[in-house]
Amino acid sequence: MDDAVIFEARASVLADLQARGVADAATVSALDAACSQRRWWIEQWPEGAPYVAGLIAQDVQDALVDSRGRADRAGLWPLCQHCADLPLHALHIEPDLGGPDPAWVCDESGTVVADLGRLTP
């Protein structure tokens, strides 16, 4: 398997973690665990390469909710910054299966906020 797919996905998710200020040691460990698990997944299904980046982002989101909860702002990574009048909520990757061409979308407004790897602070 060509690890470039995993490395590119890791770089995109890490960029978004950094953009929103949650790239601490525990979060990067969760990212690395997700990359390791998805490496096995893509070895089993090489045609799934276009989906890996979005799936890794979703895996990290799940890990943050599990470890930090929804009451912690980091547990809601990445927070939607476009809906000022609504309660705090996270963006989600679309398409739901992670790709191809994954983007962060606000479920509340339906707004496409950024492509994966392109979140702003």
Side-chain angles (χ1 to χ4, degrees), residues 2-22:
D2 181 8
D3 279 340
V5 172
I6 296 294
F7 293 145
E8 289 172 15
R10 185 185 186 281
S12 293
V13 176
L14 182 58
D16 288 345
L17 290 165
Q18 290 172 326
R20 295 298 173 91
V22 295

Side-chain angles (χ1 to χ4, degrees), residues 4-110:
V5 172
I6 296 294
F7 293 145
E8 289 172 15
R10 185 185 186 281
S12 293
V13 176
L14 182 58
D16 288 345
L17 290 165
Q18 290 172 326
R20 295 298 173 91
V22 295
D24 60 20
T27 303
V28 174
S29 290
L31 171 58
D32 289 341
C35 289
S36 177
Q37 292 166 356
R38 291 299 175 176
R39 179 175 286 113
W40 175 88
W41 180 83
I42 202 166
E43 287 171 354
Q44 306 308 307
W45 187 47
E47 296 82 17
Y51 302 91
V52 166
L55 291 170
I56 289 172
Q58 291 171 338
D59 293 344
V60 172
Q61 274 190 306
D62 292 344
L64 289 175
V65 168
D66 290 348
S67 67
R68 299 183 184 192
R70 295 188 185 278
D72 184 333
R73 293 174 68 91
L76 290 175
W77 172 81
L79 280 175
C80 179
Q81 298 176 341
H82 295 276
C83 298
D85 56 339
L86 294 175
L88 292 177
H89 57 280
L91 301 173
H92 293 93
I93 287 289
E94 285 193 10
D96 193 38
L97 292 176
D101 303 320
W104 292 111
V105 176
C106 172
D107 286 343
E108 300 292 328
S109 68

